[in-house]
Amino acid sequence: MTTTDKESHVTTGATVWLTGLPSAGKTTIAYELAGRLREEGHLVEVLDGDEIREFISAGLGFSREDRHTNVQRIGFLAELLARNGVKALVPVIAPYADSREAVRGRHQESGAAYLEIHVATPVEVCSVRDVKGLYAKQAAGELSGLTGVDDPYEAPETPDLRIESQDQTVQESAAALHALLTERGLA
């Protein structure tokens, strides 16, 4: 690596947690932002909730306790990455405020930056998008415990940013998030 390469490599880490209902657009926005940040020289990892459940939280169910455990595992991983100069983009529902606050606390203790982004897409819009067919399965009685329908979702009261994804493009949503990171000295 040349001196120029080292100088152009950005190492300020942060966790950007995108919370919201299923099919709100969290993962799509995270990957759009990740591409932009990588082009700027940032180290970026997207901690996709489905991948985490498959590889790190296999065996956990969807009880409140299991959801809390899942969020804490993801929070630990994100904080570890952020503390080491990586932008950890976390598009994970994390339905309970106390679970998200515990993750924020872990970041505060280590000094790692943490931003909570609420992708505040209404359930009516999410159910039409229905990326994974979860709303259709719930409506057909094949699935119960769907966050925001028949299982609680505690929306953040004071997120660092609220994105109304139904009112803007993915690119506009990612740009708003990038602007926040820039404002906070993280991009």
Side-chain angles (χ1 to χ4, degrees):
M1 195 179 264
T2 67
T3 303
T4 307
D5 290 337
K6 288 179 186 173
E7 289 171 354
S8 69
H9 192 71
V10 183
T11 60
T12 303
T15 293
V16 179
W17 198 291
L18 294 93
T19 180
L21 297 174
S23 296
K26 302 176 299 296
T27 302
T28 305
I29 294 166
Y31 277 108
E32 180 71 23
L33 178 62
R36 182 169 179 179
L37 290 171
R38 285 187 184 110
E39 287 174 4
E40 295 174 352
H42 296 271
L43 295 172
V44 180
E45 289 295 333
V46 177
L47 300 180
D48 183 284
D50 293 332
E51 291 176 1
I52 297 289
R53 274 212 174 259
E54 182 179 350
F55 296 108
I56 294 177
S57 295
L60 289 180
F62 291 90
S63 67
R64 184 179 178 100
E65 297 79 24
D66 283 357
R67 287 176 191 251
H68 179 77
T69 298
N70 187 47
V71 168
Q72 296 317 297
R73 287 178 183 176
I74 297 168
F76 171 80
L77 195 57
E79 186 270 333
L80 181 67
L81 290 167
R83 198 167 20 101
N84 285 282
V86 177
K87 302 283 187 300
L89 308 182
V90 186
V92 173
I93 296 170
Y96 301 111
D98 60 343
S99 295
R100 295 190 307 268
E101 272 310 305
V103 171
R104 181 187 297 277
R106 170 184 290 286
H107 282 73
Q108 287 172 338
E109 286 175 20
S110 75
Y114 177 86
L115 300 174
E116 183 177 70
I117 312 306
H118 182 205
V119 183
T121 311
V123 69
E124 300 79 25
V125 174
C126 294
S127 66
V128 170
R129 289 180 181 171
D130 204 10
V131 178
K132 299 173 192 165
L134 299 175
Y135 293 93
K137 287 181 182 175
Q138 192 276 336
E142 299 168 14
L143 174 75
S144 63
L146 182 58
T147 301
V149 177
D150 60 353
D151 209 53
Y153 176 71
E154 298 170 358
E157 293 182 18
T158 56
D160 294 282
L161 178 66
R162 188 175 319 279
I163 294 174
E164 308 278 345
S165 75
Q166 73 280 7
D167 295 333
Q168 59 192 29
T169 67
V170 172
Q171 293 75 19
E172 290 168 336
S173 296
L177 187 41
H178 189 275
L180 175 64
L181 288 169
T182 301
E183 175 187 303
R184 302 278 174 95
L186 299 168

